[in-house]
């Protein structure tokens, strides 16, 4: 349904129109872009394999984001 009016009205309508969850794919991308470099550059001098460190950081970010997304949907049920 098209929303006529101001830009601010469209945002209010979008956020009040359904049960939107916080943890989605955008959250994963944001954590990957922010958290991976911070953790990598903090721990890179303490590891033997920088490639394994990089891969494990990404895998753990994916795993924790999926776990939080599942828990959010279980405990924070929205209404239409």
């Amino acid at each position: 349904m098209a929303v006529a009016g101001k830009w601010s009205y469209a945002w209010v309508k979008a956020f009040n129109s359904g049960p939107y969850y916080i943890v989605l794919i955008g959250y994963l991308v944001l954590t990957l872009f922010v958290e991976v470099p911070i953790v990598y550059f903090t721990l890179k001098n303490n590891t033997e394999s920088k490639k394994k460190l990089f891969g494990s950081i990404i895998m753990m970010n994916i795993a924790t984001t999926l776990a939080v997304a599942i828990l959010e949907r279980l405990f924070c049920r929205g209404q239409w």
Side-chain angles (χ1 to χ4, degrees):
M1 184 169 106
V3 178
K6 297 180 181 179
W7 181 256
S8 60
Y9 178 74
W11 277 104
V12 170
K13 194 70 172 163
F15 284 109
N16 291 327
S17 64
Y20 294 109
Y21 296 106
I22 295 171
V23 180
L24 297 170
I25 193 72
Y27 186 84
L28 174 63
V29 171
L30 178 66
T31 60
L32 289 176
F33 279 118
V34 173
E35 193 173 332
V36 169
I38 292 171
V39 175
Y40 179 78
F41 288 117
T42 303
L43 298 176
K44 73 178 182 175
N45 294 330
N46 299 328
T47 186
E48 294 177 10
S49 174
K50 293 179 182 178
K51 191 174 184 179
K52 284 184 182 180
L53 174 66
F54 188 74
S56 65
I57 294 169
I58 290 176
M59 293 307 293
M60 288 299 104
N61 265 301
I62 292 170
T64 56
T65 301
L66 286 173
V68 171
I70 291 168
L71 290 172
E72 180 187 32
R73 282 152 182 78
L74 289 174
F75 293 118
C76 304
R77 296 181 186 227
Q79 292 181 332
W80 288 98

